[in-house]
Amino acid sequence: PCVRPPPMAAPAVPGGAAAPASEALTTATLAAAPPEQQKQMLGERLFPLVHRLQPELAGKITGMLLEMDNTELLNLLESPESLLAKVDEAMAVLRQHGVLPTEEAAAAE
């Protein structure tokens, strides 16, 4: 009989007990995670929210936001107004640095 290799298993999430993205991220959950995983956890929750606001630049903007302090990032997850303000701020920075054409900025307003 032909011996087939076992099917590829989905890669295990480092840490094993990562909270599903739908579960609210709390300060306690975050504090329990190793520091290098904290930004990852925050980024995974921020990205879909940023994507709704700026689909084309969601990755870049999320990366910019992740430079912020973790407590500020938790606030952005809980406050849509704060997140919108930070995304607008990131867009302004991108425009300033010539990453975005200014015509697109006018069309987005």
Side-chain angles (χ1 to χ4, degrees):
C2 181
V3 179
R4 290 199 323 233
M8 289 291 290
V13 177
S22 59
E23 192 177 303
L25 189 61
T26 63
T27 315
T29 315
L30 202 60
E36 65 276 5
Q37 268 188 13
Q38 293 178 3
K39 290 287 185 193
Q40 178 77 29
M41 292 166 74
L42 288 161
E44 285 170 359
R45 284 164 176 79
L46 273 171
F47 181 81
L49 302 175
V50 174
H51 190 267
R52 277 188 232 145
L53 301 169
Q54 290 295 336
E56 257 115 76
L57 294 161
K60 184 174 271 306
I61 292 172
T62 302
M64 292 168 74
L65 295 177
L66 287 172
E67 298 294 317
M68 296 168 56
D69 186 62
N70 287 0
T71 49
E72 289 181 67
L73 292 170
L74 280 170
N75 180 46
L76 294 184
L77 290 172
E78 292 164 11
S79 166
E81 299 81 27
S82 298
L83 180 63
L84 181 60
K86 280 294 176 192
V87 169
D88 286 345
E89 206 177 297
M91 293 292 286
V93 169
L94 291 172
R95 264 182 229 117
Q96 208 173 7
H97 290 276
V99 177
L100 280 183
T102 43
E103 303 81 48
E104 188 182 319
E109 298 293 320

